[in-house]
Amino acid sequence: MIEQDPHAIARPPRLSRLRDFVGALADAIERIDGEQALLAQGAGLLAQLVAHDDWLPTDCAVPSPKTYQQYLLHCDSRQRFSIASFVWGPGQSTPIHDHGTWGLIGMLRGSEVAQNYALDDAGIPRPVGPVLRLKPGEVETLSPATGDIHQVRNHYDDRPSISIHVYGANIGAVTRTVYGLDGSTKPFISGYSSATLPNIWDLSKEDS
Ligand code: FE2
């Protein structure tokens, strides 16, 4: 067993990675016309962010035994995009739901599993395509143009998983839909699990 050095000082989270991602994504949104081109660019930027697991503050990585958590990491001042850490407790799952806007999912820790759905003529959600498993460092894209109804769950029953979600809106404030297997629908607004944000703007506490 490796013993921890009691004199070791925990490194602060490297929030500069998140700040750089926020800036680069805002720049891409400003420059790029067309959702598919933006998703391609955004996926590359998110892949850079989740290539390292040294920047997410610990209080944005806490699972709840009740349900999965969505900690807001940043919301664009014009609400053009938002970034959240999605923290799964063991075995936790979403209902079948949509987003109504483009989305990017980057796996940071653990693993999650997603199944896409499409509504049949009776409005019943039917699985479309294979079950997709995301592993650390991998990125998935979602678009209403190609169908954005899905169900996602933690791949693991015995440990938490964390993915970074990016959406083309202030997602916690968007009225979305949950789909029942009987064809029923229910509107929902997810909100966020956290009341405060990581402070990505205080450069005085960072290593040079
Ligand atoms: Fe989703």
Side-chain angles (χ1 to χ4, degrees):
M1 180 180 160
I2 300 169
E3 286 187 18
Q4 277 201 321
D5 178 356
H7 303 294
I9 299 169
R11 292 180 75 85
R14 285 194 59 172
L15 285 171
S16 57
R17 296 196 197 280
L18 179 57
R19 183 174 62 249
D20 290 348
F21 176 72
V22 167
L25 186 62
D27 182 53
I29 288 172
E30 200 71 40
R31 280 187 298 107
I32 297 174
D33 276 333
E35 190 174 87
Q36 290 309 311
L38 177 61
L39 281 171
Q41 180 75 17
L45 295 171
L46 184 57
Q48 290 176 30
L49 182 65
V50 297
H52 304 273
D53 187 4
D54 61 359
W55 58 268
L56 185 67
T58 52
D59 56 359
C60 299
V62 181
S64 163
K66 289 186 189 148
T67 186
Y68 55 89
Q69 301 291 288
Q70 299 165 83
Y71 297 103
L72 180 63
L73 302 179
H74 181 79
C75 184
D76 173 59
S77 60
R78 287 153 60 184
Q79 300 184 73
R80 296 170 302 175
F81 66 93
S82 57
I83 308 166
S85 58
F86 222 86
V87 182
W88 305 97
Q92 291 177 345
S93 171
T94 68
I96 301 171
H97 66 278
D98 66 8
H99 306 94
T101 181
W102 60 261
L104 297 162
I105 301 171
M107 202 74 221
L108 185 70
R109 223 173 278 176
S111 181
E112 71 181 34
V113 173
Q115 172 68 63
N116 291 327
Y117 286 83
L119 302 181
D120 69 13
D121 292 342
I124 293 175
R126 304 288 185 192
V128 173
V131 173
L132 301 169
R133 181 177 168 196
L134 274 189
K135 296 174 187 166
E138 293 180 343
V139 172
E140 183 72 24
T141 63
L142 286 162
S143 166
T146 52
D148 73 334
I149 300 175
H150 71 171
Q151 183 173 35
V152 190
R153 62 178 171 82
N154 189 352
H155 174 70
Y156 294 110
D157 289 329
D158 60 354
R159 73 193 85 160
S161 291
I162 301 176
S163 52
I164 305 304
H165 292 207
V166 184
Y167 303 94
N170 174 10
I171 195 67
V174 175
T175 301
R176 300 188 272 159
T177 304
V178 163
Y179 301 88
L181 290 174
D182 58 357
S184 62
T185 58
K186 194 171 75 176
F188 79 104
I189 300 174
S190 68
Y192 297 106
S193 308
S194 48
T196 58
L197 301 180
N199 185 352
I200 62 175
W201 304 112
D202 185 353
L203 281 61
S204 74
K205 295 187 176 59
E206 295 181 3
D207 295 341
S208 56

